[in-house]
């Protein structure tokens, strides 16, 4: 068979296929349109009938209210007005549905006119105590009932007509499409049979070569021959095989380079799958943590040194900062990132930071010692200044002002030293917490009550939204109250007058998230990365009116992490900020310590 014949077969087959596809699309589309139009019209008819029936029911209520006017005019007027409001709503709905429908629109208009006439000539006189002629009452009441019933009957007849029309249209469309498809299929079968006979051998060769290529035989090629189509296909297959062979060699070389790089890295690299099982580890990782062998469940080894919630966040790639643990005499820093592969998993990087940890511990010990030594004389200064202030009447104005300045600054330094002591104790592991199961609702509500007066003074709206089904959290209540008061104080103080501050609590997996949101000025992106660092304060002039040591957020972060939780912030300039505190729920998720690792300072 020569190429021109193959082209003709291809064109003929394409035309046949296009004919079949066109018939199917047209037929299915037409049927879909018919069905959709039928359903829309039927639903509209039913909705109109329901609206008319509601209108009739409302009229019956109006009539009943009017009939009782002679016994209790006030109640009759109230019932009449309520029924009239219901009827007005049903009338609006019916008018919208009947728009463009003939004769439903005309019947509805007649029904509305009859209702107006009845209210003017019958209902209102009766409510005023005037009794119209019985013949007039009967005629106007009958007109309303008749027009309403005629409209309902008309919609019933219209639906019967719709059923008949859709049956006929569907039958005719199916018949035409069926005949067209049968003719197209016969033509397509003839064309397809001829094409198959001309393409079978080249295609079989392609299938065989593709199977070999899939099995790893990158030398598989096909003999180019047959119709022009298979010649092109065979040539393209051979080119693809050549490129695949080159790409495989390139990937293999890259894999070897990557393997050599990982082997020579001083940092440990461990990959784990979705279940937390180690899939690969370089020599440095196996040296730092010998149990990190492929097939080892890493989660069981980390729970104990780290709290369960933190381990889950680490293995899920959701822990934004490094986590430090102790392995023997060494301190290791772990960071994790989610793998982008379809099968999922996480890559964990391990670095030996023993020297850095030692230097940081020396610094923390110095800060702890210095803060402790400074607090005693400062407390004395503050005490003497307070005694002098008590004798203010014996001092002149200049002396009193000087003593007040000494007292204010002494108190400020004492607060600063107390914050530094808390941070230093946390850093060196001397800040102990005693977590117990604690109900979230009372804890958060107590904090909201504490700051409620300040929010009212600022003219702000303070909203508390707590999920009533929250489980208890495993925390030391006073420490978490300190964190929440700090965050809520910042939200109130840094938000302008009239702002809204919301405190909410909800469950997230095996943890509880407490969020504090405000509609304040927001935090610039360049400041977010340093927000939890020590002595960090907000800009934009707000620091001129908001007091503090700049250590509150750093202390809050340290306290939350001591509980095995996490704290983060999102903010949009001009729209507000949201601080989220995630704390472990009171679930029995602890595992025994492996004895190999101990959590370090993070």
């Amino acid at each position: 068979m020569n190429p021109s014949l193959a082209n003709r077969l291809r064109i003929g087959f394409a035309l046949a296929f296009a004919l079949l596809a066109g018939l199917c699309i047209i037929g299915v589309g037409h049927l879909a349109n018919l069905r959709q139009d039928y359903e829309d019209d039927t639903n509209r008819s039913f909705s109109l009938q329901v609206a008319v029936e509601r209108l009739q029911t409302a009229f019956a209520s109006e009539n009943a209210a009017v009939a009782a006017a002679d016994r209790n005019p006030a109640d009759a007027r109230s019932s009449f007005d309520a029924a009239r409001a219901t009827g007005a709503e049903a009338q609006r709905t019916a008018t919208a549905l009947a728009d463009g429908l003939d004769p439903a629109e005309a019947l509805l208009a007649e029904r509305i006119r009859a209702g107006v006439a009845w209210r003017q000539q019958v209902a209102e006189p009766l409510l005023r105590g005037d009794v119209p002629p019985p013949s007039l009452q009967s005629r106007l009441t009958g007109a309303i009932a008749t027009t309403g019933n005629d409209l309902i009957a008309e919609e019933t007849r219209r639906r019967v007509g719709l059923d008949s029309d859709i049956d006929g249209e569907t039958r005719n469309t199916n018949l035409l499409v069926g005949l067209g498809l049968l003719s197209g299929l016969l033509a397509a079968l003839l064309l397809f049979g001829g094409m198959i006979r001309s393409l079978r051998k080249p295609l079989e060769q392609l299938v065989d070569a593709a199977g070999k290529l899939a099995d790893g035989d990158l030398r598989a090629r096909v003999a180019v021959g047959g119709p022009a189509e298979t010649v092109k296909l065979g040539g393209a297959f051979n080119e693809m095989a050549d490129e695949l062979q080159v790409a495989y060699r390139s990937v293999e070389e890259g894999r070897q380079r990557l393997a050599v790089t990982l082997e020579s890295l001083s940092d440990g690299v461990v990959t784990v799958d979705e279940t937390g099982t180690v899939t690969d580890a370089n020599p440095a990782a196996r040296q730092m943590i010998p149990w990190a062998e492929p097939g080892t469940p890493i989660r069981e080894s980390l729970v104990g040194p780290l709290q369960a919630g933190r381990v889950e966040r680490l293995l899920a790639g959701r822990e934004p900062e490094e986590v430090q643990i102790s392995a023997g005499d060494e301190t290791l820093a772990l960071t994790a990132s989610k793998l982008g592969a379809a099968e999922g998993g996480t890559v964990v990087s391990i670095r030996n930071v023993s020297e850095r940890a030692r230097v940081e511990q020396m610094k923390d010990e110095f800060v702890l010692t210095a803060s402790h030594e400074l607090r005693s004389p400062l407390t004395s200064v503050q005490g003497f200044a307070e005694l002098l202030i008590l004798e203010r009447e014996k001092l002149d104005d200049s002396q009193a002002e000087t003593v007040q300045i000494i007292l204010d600054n002494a108190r400020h330094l004492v607060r600063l030293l107390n914050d530094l002591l808390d941070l230093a104790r946390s850093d060196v592991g001397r800040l102990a917490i005693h977590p117990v199961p604690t109900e979230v609702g009372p804890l958060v509500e107590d904090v909201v009550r504490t700051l409620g007066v300040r929010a009212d003074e600022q003219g702000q709206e303070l909203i508390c939204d707590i999920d009533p089904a929250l489980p208890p959290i495993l925390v030391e209540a006073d420490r978490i109250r300190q964190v929440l008061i700090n965050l809520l104080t910042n939200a109130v103080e840094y938000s302008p007058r009239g702002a809204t501050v919301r405190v909410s609590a909800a469950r997230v997996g095996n943890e509880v998230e407490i969020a504090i949101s405000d509609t304040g000025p927001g935090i610039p992106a360049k400041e977010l990365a340093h927000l939890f660092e020590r002595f960090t304060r907000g800009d934009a002039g707000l620091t001129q009116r908001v007091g503090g040591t700049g250590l509150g957020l750093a202390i809050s972060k340290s306290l939350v992490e001591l509980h095995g939780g996490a704290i983060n912030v999102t903010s949009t300039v001009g729209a507000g900020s949201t601080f989220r505190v995630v704390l472990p729920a009171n679930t029995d998720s602890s595992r025994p310590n492996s004895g190999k690792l101990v959590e370090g300072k993070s």
Side-chain angles (χ1 to χ4, degrees):
M1 183 177 293
N2 57 46
S4 61
L5 180 59
N7 288 335
R8 287 196 297 271
L9 286 173
R10 183 180 61 195
I11 294 171
F13 179 74
L15 290 173
F17 180 79
L19 176 61
L20 292 175
L23 286 171
C24 289
I25 293 172
I26 293 172
V28 171
H30 186 61
L31 286 176
N33 287 335
L34 288 175
R35 177 57 58 180
Q36 185 62 49
D37 291 343
Y38 167 74
E39 291 178 354
D40 291 345
D41 291 342
T42 302
N43 289 337
R44 184 178 179 184
S45 177
F46 274 117
S47 299
L48 177 56
Q49 181 172 334
V50 170
V52 173
E53 290 173 349
R54 288 177 55 206
L55 188 60
Q56 294 294 87
T57 301
F59 168 70
S61 299
E62 291 180 60
N63 202 10
V66 168
D70 57 341
R71 295 189 299 274
N72 193 333
D75 288 347
R77 167 60 70 177
S78 176
S79 300
F80 176 79
D81 289 342
R84 184 172 183 179
T86 302
E89 180 183 355
Q91 179 177 308
R92 287 192 295 271
T93 302
T95 301
L97 292 170
D99 185 28
L101 292 181
D102 188 31
E105 188 174 19
L107 288 173
L108 179 60
E110 184 179 347
R111 165 62 180 80
I112 293 172
R113 286 193 298 270
V116 171
W118 177 83
R119 292 186 190 93
Q120 292 176 347
Q121 300 178 37
V122 176
E124 290 297 337
L126 285 173
L127 290 172
R128 292 193 303 265
D130 299 331
V131 180
S135 60
L136 178 63
Q137 296 184 45
S138 176
R139 178 173 59 82
L140 293 179
T141 302
I144 292 175
T146 300
T147 53
N149 293 336
D150 289 346
L151 185 53
I152 293 172
E154 172 58 29
E155 289 308 304
T156 302
R157 288 192 296 272
R158 192 159 73 90
R159 288 195 297 275
V160 172
L162 289 174
D163 291 340
S164 177
D165 292 343
I166 190 65
D167 290 342
E169 291 287 344
T170 301
R171 183 171 56 255
N172 295 337
T173 301
N174 288 336
L175 181 60
L176 291 175
V177 172
L179 291 174
L181 288 176
L182 181 60
S183 301
L185 284 173
L186 289 175
L189 287 174
L190 294 175
L191 291 172
F192 192 61
M195 183 172 288
I196 286 177
R197 286 192 296 272
S198 65
L199 299 178
R200 176 180 294 175
K201 185 175 180 180
L203 288 178
E204 287 177 348
Q205 292 177 353
L206 280 169
V207 171
D208 182 59
K212 292 179 180 178
L213 197 63
D215 291 337
D217 183 6
L218 299 180
R219 296 171 299 177
R221 300 293 185 274
V222 296
V224 178
E229 295 83 0
T230 57
V231 169
K232 292 180 181 179
L233 185 59
F237 178 86
N238 290 339
E239 290 178 8
M240 179 193 67
D242 293 339
E243 293 175 359
L244 185 60
Q245 195 168 18
V246 172
Y248 178 80
R249 284 198 297 266
S250 176
V251 170
E252 184 63 21
E253 290 171 0
R255 188 191 65 79
Q256 292 176 358
R257 285 195 299 270
L258 180 60
V260 171
T261 301
L262 290 175
E263 293 283 329
S264 61
L265 278 177
S266 59
D267 289 351
V269 178
V270 177
T271 58
V272 297
D273 59 19
E274 289 289 345
T275 66
T277 301
V278 177
T279 57
D280 199 5
N282 69 345
R286 291 194 292 270
Q287 182 179 1
M288 295 179 191
I289 45 176
W291 43 266
E293 293 288 341
T296 303
I298 193 173
R299 181 180 283 103
E300 282 72 11
S301 300
L302 290 177
V303 173
L306 298 174
Q307 293 187 352
R310 201 165 193 186
V311 172
E312 296 302 327
R313 289 195 299 274
L314 181 70
L315 295 182
R318 293 187 285 105
E319 183 65 39
E321 299 182 0
E322 70 176 24
V323 175
Q324 291 186 8
I325 59 177
S326 296
D329 298 330
E330 296 180 337
T331 300
L332 306 178
L334 278 63
T335 57
S337 298
K338 201 70 176 175
L339 289 172
E343 61 272 15
T346 308
V347 58
V348 181
S349 176
I350 307 166
R351 176 172 294 180
N352 190 328
V353 294
S354 301
E355 183 62 23
R356 188 182 80 186
R358 185 182 68 81
V359 172
E360 289 182 352
Q361 185 172 8
M362 291 174 59
K363 177 203 69 177
D364 296 335
E365 290 285 356
F366 170 76
V367 172
L368 181 62
T369 302
S371 301
H372 189 273
E373 292 298 326
L374 287 171
R375 188 166 63 169
S376 295
L378 275 174
T379 303
S380 299
V381 171
Q382 179 182 343
F384 283 119
E386 289 173 346
L387 287 175
L388 288 173
I389 284 295
L390 293 176
E391 302 294 332
R392 182 188 294 270
E393 67 276 1
K394 298 179 181 180
L395 305 175
D396 58 35
D397 292 343
S398 177
Q399 291 172 335
E401 182 180 359
T402 302
V403 172
Q404 187 63 53
I405 292 173
I406 293 172
L407 179 58
D408 291 342
N409 283 279
R411 287 172 174 170
H412 177 74
L413 286 174
V414 169
R415 287 196 302 271
L416 178 60
L417 285 177
N418 286 335
D419 288 344
L420 283 173
L421 279 171
D422 279 346
L423 280 174
R425 290 192 188 103
S426 174
D427 290 342
V428 300
R430 297 184 187 175
L431 184 60
I433 61 169
H434 306 285
V436 295
T438 303
E439 294 295 333
V440 178
L443 178 61
V444 174
E445 289 168 355
D446 178 54
V447 173
V448 171
R449 279 194 301 271
T450 302
L451 272 297
V453 174
R454 180 57 181 154
D456 290 340
E457 292 174 353
Q458 294 278 85
Q460 298 168 348
E461 183 181 12
L462 184 55
I463 300 173
C464 186
D465 181 14
I466 303 173
D467 185 348
L470 286 178
I473 52 177
L474 198 61
V475 299
E476 183 175 327
D478 288 341
R479 290 297 187 180
I480 298 304
R481 183 181 292 106
Q482 178 183 350
V483 171
L484 297 180
I485 287 178
N486 189 5
L487 296 177
L488 189 54
T489 299
N490 284 346
V492 171
E493 295 293 340
Y494 280 88
S495 296
R497 194 169 190 83
T500 298
V501 179
R502 179 182 295 273
V503 183
S504 61
R507 182 166 186 165
V508 181
N510 290 327
E511 296 173 315
V512 173
E513 180 185 270
I514 302 173
I516 298 177
S517 305
D518 62 68
T519 56
I523 304 168
K526 64 181 181 180
E527 295 182 13
L528 285 177
H530 308 286
L531 198 61
F532 293 99
E533 296 178 1
R534 301 169 193 195
F535 304 106
T536 297
R537 300 283 304 281
D539 289 334
L542 288 172
T543 54
Q544 302 304 314
R545 69 174 181 85
V546 180
T549 62
L551 295 174
L553 290 179
I555 292 174
S556 298
K557 181 176 183 293
S558 179
L559 290 175
V560 170
E561 290 181 349
L562 278 175
H563 285 83
I567 183 172
N568 61 72
V569 58
T570 56
S571 182
T572 302
V573 174
S577 307
T578 299
F579 286 81
R580 292 181 174 85
V581 176
V582 179
L583 296 167
N586 183 30
T587 57
D588 186 18
S589 58
S590 60
R591 295 180 175 86
N593 195 333
S594 64
K596 299 177 182 179
L597 301 176
V598 179
E599 183 173 9
K601 185 187 69 168
S602 60

